[in-house]
Amino acid sequence: MSSTLGFEPLLLKDANERSVKKSWIKDSRESPRKRRRETGGFPGASIIQSQIKSGVSRKRTGFTSTGVPIRPGYEIFNANDQRVGAITSGCPSPSLKKNIAMGYIEPAYSKVGVELWVRVRDKRVDVKVTKMPFLKSNYHTPPK
């Protein structure tokens, strides 16, 4: 993303983050209501219901790092140098004074605090799995 203003509070408007190929279950930020999840009757219900039952192969996860900014397309590796995912968005965060990124990785590595690494121009950059949103939004909500 070109701006951190929408990225830090996790406003997903980029085509890399929203795609018909990605499911609500992998996103884990939004999903159909419980009743609709159980009964179906919405577009893609069979796919969503099977992912709820059997799990997903990738999970959207946040990362922080220092040094070189992490950009879309970089691969994510575990401590054993096995590829576990890829970065979809990344940029420096002036508010947090570190680099932030999002990517899809294997669920086993998606716990907050897990340390992984990203290959940036043939160099190793350490990243840490971080809770999202990176920055709590403080938008004004008028009283009801």
Side-chain angles (χ1 to χ4, degrees):
M1 296 180 104
S2 60
S3 169
T4 62
L5 296 177
F7 189 40
E8 290 170 342
L10 204 57
L11 302 176
L12 303 181
K13 296 182 180 177
D14 191 307
N16 291 325
E17 305 306 332
R18 292 267 184 237
S19 170
V20 294
K21 295 179 182 177
K22 296 176 182 169
S23 84
W24 291 349
I25 304 305
K26 289 177 187 171
D27 191 359
S28 76
R29 183 167 174 251
E30 54 184 283
S31 61
R33 301 280 183 212
K34 185 176 180 178
R35 179 178 52 82
R36 297 267 324 258
R37 280 193 307 243
E38 293 168 355
T39 61
F42 57 89
S46 61
I47 295 169
I48 299 292
Q49 289 170 333
S50 70
Q51 288 178 346
I52 289 172
K53 290 177 185 168
S54 63
V56 294
S57 60
R58 301 180 306 153
K59 187 172 180 185
R60 188 171 55 88
T61 310
F63 304 96
T64 56
S65 71
T66 56
V68 180
I70 300 169
R71 301 292 183 194
Y74 292 155
E75 296 179 323
I76 305 166
F77 297 89
N78 66 11
N80 298 326
D81 298 335
Q82 297 171 323
R83 185 184 184 279
V84 296
I87 299 293
T88 57
S89 296
C91 61
S93 169
S95 302
L96 299 175
K97 295 180 178 38
K98 57 178 91 172
N99 300 315
I100 58 175
M102 281 191 288
Y104 283 87
I105 62 173
E106 296 173 14
Y109 299 98
S110 65
K111 301 284 187 237
V112 173
V114 171
E115 294 188 8
L116 302 169
W117 66 274
V118 176
R119 180 180 293 139
V120 178
R121 293 182 227 107
D122 293 328
K123 294 181 183 171
R124 183 181 177 134
V125 175
D126 293 327
V127 297
K128 186 179 278 191
V129 174
T130 306
K131 184 177 178 181
M132 295 192 295
F134 301 101
L135 187 65
K136 184 180 184 300
S137 59
N138 292 317
Y139 300 115
H140 174 69
T141 307
K144 293 183 181 180

